[in-house]
Amino acid sequence: MEFKDNAKALFGLAGDNCKSKADVDFFSWSSAAVDAVASIFCGEAFANLGLERVSDNEEVVHLVYYYYLRRLADPGAIERLRVRERAGLVEYCQAAILRSEEYSLHGRSDFTIDLSANADATTQVFVDVTNTTTTKARTGIQRVVRELSRELQGSAPAPIIYIAYSRSAKTFKRVALSNDEFVEVEAAPVVCFNRGDVYFDVDGSWGDAVSRWPLYQQLRRGGVRILNIHYDAAPILFPMYSHPITVLRFLEHFFAASNCSDHFLCISEAVQKDYVKIATLLKGRCAPSSVMPLGNVFSALSATEEEIPPEVRAFSSQRFVLFVGTVEPRKNYSLLIQNFKTFERHGLKVILVGKKGWESDEVVAQLEAAQQAGNFLWLQNATDGVLKHLYETCYVYASVAHYEGYGLPVLEALSYGCAVVTSDGGALEEVGRGYTLSFRLDDEQGLSRLVDSLVADTVQYQALKANVGNFHAPVWADSIAKVLEVMEVFLLKVEQPLAWEKLQLVYISIRPDSLQRSLLSFKKFGHDGAVVVLTSDAMKAQVEEVLASLNINGTVRCDEDMFVGERIPADHQERNFQLRKRLYNDPVLDTVFLSLDDDAILLKPLPATYYVENGRYNGHFYYSSMANWNASPFGITSYDQGQWRTSALLCAHAYDDKAYSAHQPQILEKRLVQEIYDEYANCVAGGVDEWSLYFNVCVQRYSNRFAARPVTTLHWPEDFSSWMPGWFNSEVHYMNYYPASASAADAFINLLSFAAAYDKYHAQRIIGGVAKPVRLLPAEDNVVAGLPGLWVDIKADQGMSGVGYRIYAGETVVVDGSRDIQAVSPRAPLKVKMPAEPGEFRLNVFYVESGADITSASVIVFPWRQALQGV
């Protein structure tokens, strides 16, 4: 899926989650306006937003405001500007905003970052605390950021550097936690990211001035790994309970993080499940994720005793129900209001601790009216000491939230031994872990019935309180341990030694003879590890006979077992990807193994460092960029399509697109291959090159554990008339067996012939580069240069079918290419075979059916000495 389509799908999903489109006005915008929003999410320049297609003045004004100020236009601005003529409105708004003080202080900001290609530098972990530094806030996420920063420093296996964006410098600067506030470190070195560093986005960064999409893209292209703490997806799942500006900013942030992050640390299982569900619904990438439950960060637990205000003491001297949390729609205090009579019926007073946030005037007015009535107390600025007192004295603590990603006050209440009642919103039941009572949000009387039963049944109430006595809140040591567990995968190297002779061989094969030939070559040079073979049900018995005849400890699996109840894809590339994806989940596979096909022949003993060197797995690639892969004009194959599809997927996510399907065994780590295949499971319709996807991601994401190595495989390609790589390694260890080729026993002669053929084609490539490149367009000065009997590719700027050619010596046709009709395109160049003898000739390219000329060229064939007989 294109990123812009993915952004629109995310926007649409959030809109669909509203009870009504009217809940959040921009979900009713025109399709042209939504296109512009998606363009902003994708980091497009202002001029490329397509605002000229947006006809509604109000939408135009909002879009300009959001692009520059990251907020929607206020009602006054809309009232003034909606009556202006549409022509010139964009320019007028843009100019006004760029001159404003708000833009200079709070608007979306440009940035620069220093990137170094020094992959050998010591890996550093940069923790971005910009939002906490800027806002000075001390609750919610910012509370977590401070505690995480205190605990993480000194415990990580790599240097930790805290950074915050400086608007004046338009770059990141180093900060340190001092007296519980982040302050800039004077005379600190410039923040410079090296290839292999880790950028850890721990804050509420959707509120920052720096857009995450361009930032993440630059970091990714610089080889920096990106980690995120994912607190929850409430603005997507329940946008009507969040401020509209927060919804829009969060959608933009989530889009960038979900497409670029190397790992999501989710604060609860509920949050992780919600993330996976959203990614699946969007049919996009699903970043690897794990759960990092938050530790005990409750300031009220360590609060000192203090004088309790008289009005608070008066309320707390009687039985009361305690609620803690900002007054905003997500906290669902409308349900509290609906149950005031229930509490009054049982003689229960109610205390709410929480500042007034984004909430409707109606709810605020009802709370204020209830406070005046006398049975309700709203404390907007309670100290930690007061909160501690309330936890210690409340009859019941209650949370009625629509959704919580974690629910820290619930843990806080349990830590004080409170009887706790919660809704089933988000992670509340998970956090309660059996120590709380809960009700369903879709049950209008659920809270009332719970309160009724607790008051009426003192045994049940005392049992609940007694059970809470066994509760132990999570501690930050556990949270930090999970962070370090994830982080270490990005820092540690591969454990050595790892003997290739003991590595499990994992085959896909439906050719018993080829399988036997391959296995014999490995046994010849000392391999004695286990073998797993995936074959068809029809070939299973013969494959088992091959393993038995060679006295090999083997396991055989069948294709049909991999697709129980599912259709096996007919497309070769898709079938291979899906087969390997399923096979690599099989418990019989070792933690690390060699994956291969049955045409792989080992030619000589492997060096000990062939697969693991200097603490890194070697991934062997045969082609520098799949984007440049050309198909044959005589027919595009499933393999060709897979190369281009894989390249598009990798490049879109800012990875290299080297081709690793090198027709020799590759070393795979089971956990990582499962991670990456699952990550892109929604993005591989039609199939991708499974090895190229795996290694390109791993070489960037786990640069501490993977390295890319160019390789040559004998007879890959079968010959160089079809294609040729950019190099020929002198050390060749594997052969790709073709029945038409000489046998593996003649490997030395094969290698000499193969090398000589490469030299000849490489020389032709150099010769051809001297001449003016020929395009399939009319021209008078086209020149084709080559060597006798070799094939030359002529590029096409557009698709053309039914193409043929002839090469003339005077009036005599010396090469007739009209018999094998070609379909050419920018990805399938015309193949022209050079005459067998040196000399000067003339090329004519034409449509075979009509005879109409396409182009012509002079042909120069240079002589070439024969290095080996028959080459």
Side-chain angles (χ1 to χ4, degrees), residues 210-269:
V210 174
S211 303
R212 256 41 196 176
W213 181 261
L215 174 63
Y216 288 166
Q217 290 286 298
Q218 284 196 39
L219 290 170
R220 172 66 66 76
R221 292 192 175 97
V224 177
R225 285 81 67 77
I226 300 169
L227 305 185
N228 290 78
I229 293 183
H230 179 51
Y231 292 95
D232 64 56
I236 300 172
L237 299 171
F238 304 98
M240 58 283 192
Y241 301 139
S242 299
H243 193 286
I245 305 258
T246 300
V247 172
L248 206 50
R249 288 178 176 179
F250 185 84
L251 289 173
E252 181 179 352
H253 172 274
F254 181 89
F255 166 75
S258 61
N259 280 298
C260 298
S261 177
D262 288 295
H263 197 95
F264 267 28
L265 277 160
C266 302
I267 63 171
S268 67
E269 292 178 9

Side-chain angles (χ1 to χ4, degrees), residues 635-667:
I636 294 176
T637 67
S638 171
Y639 182 82
D640 300 327
Q641 298 281 8
Q643 297 295 287
W644 300 326
R645 196 180 296 116
T646 310
S647 172
L649 177 63
L650 289 165
C651 292
H653 289 88
Y655 293 114
D656 287 341
D657 68 334
K658 294 180 175 64
Y660 285 88
S661 51
H663 283 66
Q664 60 171 265
Q666 296 278 19
I667 188 167

